[in-house]
Amino acid sequence: MFGYYMDLALRSLKRNPVLTALMVLAIGLGIGASMTMLTLLHVMTADPIPDRSAQLFYPQLDPQSMEDYKAGEDPPDQLTWTDAMNLLHAGRGVRQVAMTGGQVTVRPEGGKARAFFADARYTSADFFGLFDVPFAYGNGWTAADDEKQARVAVLSRKLADKLYGADRAVGQSLQLGKYGFRVIGVIDAWDPVPHYYDLTHGGYARSEEIFLPLETAIALKQGTSGSISCWGLMPEDGDMRNSDCVWTQFWVQLDTPAQVAGYREFLTHYSQEQKALGRFVRPPNTRLRDVMGWLDYNHVVPGSVQLQGLLALGFMLVCLLNTVALLLVKFLRRGGELSVRRAMGASRRAVFAQLLVEASLVGLSGGGAGLLLAAFGLWIVRQQPAQYAVLAHLDTTMLLTTFVLAVCATVLAAVFPAWRACRLAPARLLKIQ
């Protein structure tokens, strides 16, 4: 029976090519516009570490002066070096990581190529385990390496391939500026989106190419990068460890609600202790947000993208209303044909099913057109100077969603026209014929 309905649908669509083309175009435009923006939102709002996002937390403290103080306002987004080291060495979480971003000068061995700059991440030993970083070769360093300021490095696979060949990188010497390091690990493909662990470089920055022990990098005065906020004088020697500035990030892993509650209390007690010591002057003001809460707090998804997504969905609704009108005209004009089928014994249910099959074909065709338009729309997005533009690609999930949405939307749009056509009185229409 389904094959018979398909044959009737194809015959009907061929009889009215202009009307069919208008319906396919309406569906295609609506699907193309909406899927372009939905794909972008899908990528930009994805959980960057779904297996652990509810266990990773970003603590905030308020060590600032009383100048411009307002009760209830959020504390700074980063920590001072002193606070980061205190929280790190307190070890109150399952794992904890202090870090900051930087840029280093890479000098290839033997002068085979010119020196170049590479983005770096200065961090403590738990970084790789806490963020579930995959290794292709070797491994990260240990807490003991942090303490003795070991000159070791972990490379991205891309950089390791460029310098040595990824499978030969472990154990090689790496010259960064005037200091030598030993490569102990190569990270496999890893580039979380959004760049949640450090938003000071942008929510959609690319992952770093070199990872160094935090205390080693700072002691050797490797260049830092990222946001710095100060409320006091900068030290004359330029050593940020002694400054009244926030410039380091900190993450802690807390696996249970009890651990989360305990850490909140710890942050409050720490703030009270630092105030008693004279370091803090403001009342205790702390925050502890998980990954998704941190992304939401920082408004990682631009408001313009969200607005465009809503406008695209509104445009799709307009296209569907136009499709409803076109289908209603098409089905009602076929009243005589449908009445003959009813007179020959076809039930209303059979006629209704026939019309829905026809609408489904229109939906599939519209989905194909919409897919092409969505691909073109995403290509246009990739040409924009925005940091997130490179992410605009149609993945398998959104590809399937395009066709499912097209068919479902068209069938839904066809329900009323099909029901209305089935309600026509066959006897009256046959008499007119």
Side-chain angles (χ1 to χ4, degrees):
M1 187 61 71
F2 180 75
Y4 176 60
Y5 291 159
M6 287 287 291
D7 183 60
L8 290 176
L10 289 171
R11 288 169 183 262
S12 173
L13 293 174
K14 289 178 181 179
R15 281 199 302 268
N16 299 281
V18 175
L19 192 59
T20 300
L22 286 175
M23 290 189 293
V24 170
L25 182 60
I27 293 295
L29 287 173
I31 292 295
S34 60
M35 291 312 299
T36 297
M37 298 314 303
L38 287 178
T39 297
L40 198 55
L41 282 173
H42 169 70
V43 173
M44 295 176 69
T45 59
D47 188 337
I49 183 168
D51 295 335
R52 198 175 289 178
S53 61
Q55 285 80 48
L56 302 185
F57 291 83
Y58 192 94
Q60 293 171 263
L61 300 169
D62 196 348
Q64 301 174 99
S65 66
M66 291 301 292
E67 185 178 356
D68 299 325
Y69 170 69
K70 295 179 181 179
E73 67 180 357
D74 283 307
D77 289 351
Q78 300 182 96
L79 300 181
T80 65
W81 172 268
T82 300
D83 292 325
M85 290 299 103
N86 287 344
L87 296 188
L88 181 67
H89 296 141
R92 293 300 185 96
V94 178
R95 295 187 180 98
Q96 41 271 311
V97 173
M99 59 183 174
T100 191
Q103 194 172 63
V104 295
T105 303
V106 180
R107 301 185 183 279
E109 285 187 323
K112 298 178 182 178
R114 293 183 178 180
F116 57 90
F117 291 111
D119 291 331
R121 172 73 23 193
Y122 310 145
T123 182
S124 51
D126 278 348
F127 179 91
F128 308 102
L130 187 143
F131 294 119
D132 202 18
V133 180
F135 275 85
Y137 304 98
N139 49 256
W141 57 86
T142 65
D145 292 325
D146 280 329
E147 291 180 8
K148 63 184 181 183
Q149 298 184 5
R151 297 186 184 183
V152 294
V154 170
L155 307 182
S156 70
R157 184 162 195 151
K158 180 179 179 181
L159 182 60
D161 274 329
K162 178 179 179 179
L163 294 175
Y164 320 101
D167 57 337
R168 301 188 301 274
V170 174
Q172 297 280 358
S173 296
L174 176 67
Q175 191 72 21
L176 301 179
K178 59 183 180 180
Y179 301 105
F181 290 77
R182 179 171 56 89
V183 178
I184 61 171
V186 175
I187 291 175
D188 211 344
W190 183 72
D191 192 13
V193 178
H195 192 260
Y196 66 101
Y197 58 87
D198 181 4
L199 297 176
T200 63
H201 291 78
Y204 301 94
R206 305 308 298 268
S207 182
E208 295 80 7
E209 297 180 288
I210 298 177
F211 298 80
L212 303 175
L214 174 62
E215 296 189 67
T216 303
I218 300 304
L220 297 179
K221 297 184 178 179
Q222 297 288 341
T224 59
S225 62
S227 173
I228 299 175
S229 178
C230 303
W231 58 93
L233 297 175
M234 292 285 290
E236 294 182 1
D237 60 1
D239 190 342
M240 294 295 293
R241 291 174 293 185
N242 302 319
S243 66
D244 289 329
C245 302
V246 290
W247 56 283
T248 61
Q249 302 88 49
F250 193 90
W251 286 89
V252 59
Q253 179 181 336
L254 305 169
D255 291 340
T256 66
Q259 290 177 355
V260 175
Y263 205 86
R264 292 185 193 278
E265 292 182 8
F266 163 67
L267 291 177
T268 300
H269 293 156
Y270 174 80
S271 297
Q272 293 171 338
E273 178 185 80
Q274 295 302 307
K275 186 175 182 180
L277 293 173
R279 281 196 62 241
F280 288 11
V281 294
R282 296 187 176 188
N285 182 23
T286 66
R287 302 288 189 276
L288 188 64
R289 295 181 170 93
D290 64 11
V291 171
M292 299 308 290
W294 182 240
L295 294 177
D296 183 61
Y297 167 71
N298 282 278
H299 307 292
V300 170
V301 180
S304 60
V305 174
Q306 294 176 328
L307 177 60
Q308 290 169 18
L310 291 174
L311 291 175
L313 289 176
F315 180 68
M316 181 180 175
L317 180 60
V318 172
C319 291
L320 285 179
L321 290 175
N322 287 330
T323 304
V324 170
L326 292 171
L327 286 171
L328 186 59
V329 170
K330 180 179 177 62
F331 291 166
L332 291 181
R333 285 176 59 184
R334 294 169 56 197
E337 172 197 333
L338 299 177
S339 296
V340 170
R341 283 206 66 209
R342 290 288 311 282
M344 294 179 66
S347 66
R348 283 182 177 176
R349 180 178 297 179
V351 173
F352 186 76
Q354 172 196 336
L355 297 178
L356 289 187
V357 168
E358 185 173 330
S360 298
L361 285 178
V362 173
L364 283 172
S365 301
L371 183 61
L372 294 176
L373 290 171
F376 178 68
L378 291 171
W379 177 82
I380 292 177
V381 173
R382 289 196 295 274
Q383 310 313 308
Q384 305 303 310
Q387 194 178 52
Y388 58 80
V390 69
L391 307 173
H393 290 279
L394 197 65
D395 60 19
T396 304
T397 300
M398 300 309 291
L399 177 66
L400 295 175
T401 302
T402 300
F403 282 103
V404 172
L405 183 61
V407 173
C408 290
T410 310
V411 171
L412 185 63
V415 168
F416 175 72
W419 174 84
R420 184 70 181 83
C422 290
R423 300 294 297 177
L424 295 174
R428 184 171 63 84
L429 288 174
L430 289 174
K431 184 177 181 180
I432 293 174
Q433 296 292 328

